[in-house]
Amino acid sequence: RILESLRKCAAEGARYRLGPELEVSGYGCEDHYLERDTVEHGYEVLAWLLEETADLDMLCDVGMAFEHHRVLYNCRVFFLHGRILLIRPKMQLAGNSNYRESRWFTRWSRSREV
């Protein structure tokens, strides 16, 4: 459904498409985020999206889990013409009674580092 949404937005003339948080895997994976194949599958989906949207003239923004130096982050991934422009981890995680993001993800603490 992500690709369908990206194509629909581009066809309607959008220049930027913002998807929901953790759109690639879905927000409710919970402890499955700790399983390597959940993250790996996300990378496969991202690679496929990059290939399939290379011809779109629209900035795409999807949410997904991303590992950096063996640490898992809840990220926004921005891409255009099949190329990743920016991967931005969340700096504040939801941690009240309904959300336990810090159980699975680490907050990004280097605010001025890209």
Side-chain angles (χ1 to χ4, degrees):
R1 291 186 262 175
I2 299 170
L3 181 58
E4 180 183 334
S5 172
L6 292 169
R7 287 186 173 152
K8 181 179 179 185
C9 289
E12 292 179 6
R15 305 288 291 154
Y16 171 68
R17 186 271 191 183
L18 167 68
E21 183 175 6
L22 296 169
E23 175 179 29
V24 172
S25 63
Y27 193 85
C29 286
E30 297 191 348
D31 283 351
H32 291 289
Y33 288 120
L34 304 175
E35 298 172 7
R36 185 78 196 149
D37 62 331
T38 302
V39 177
E40 288 293 329
H41 181 67
Y43 296 154
E44 292 168 3
V45 170
L46 178 60
W48 175 71
L49 289 171
L50 293 172
E51 183 178 313
E52 293 293 320
T53 61
D55 62 334
L56 298 184
D57 192 26
M58 177 182 68
L59 178 61
C60 304
D61 175 355
V62 298
M64 65 180 288
F66 216 93
E67 187 178 305
H68 177 64
H69 295 294
R70 303 183 79 120
V71 178
L72 193 60
Y73 297 95
N74 177 349
C75 297
R76 305 300 313 170
V77 180
F78 298 83
F79 55 96
L80 176 67
H81 298 287
R83 296 182 60 125
I84 295 173
L85 303 176
L86 175 71
I87 300 171
R88 180 62 179 166
K90 278 181 81 170
M91 297 183 71
Q92 298 295 324
L93 300 176
N96 62 23
S97 61
N98 290 330
Y99 304 100
R100 301 175 309 178
E101 289 182 348
S102 61
R103 179 178 169 94
W104 309 291
F105 302 108
T106 300
R107 74 176 193 85
W108 187 256
S109 59
R110 294 174 273 182
S111 63
R112 299 197 180 267
E113 186 172 318
V114 177

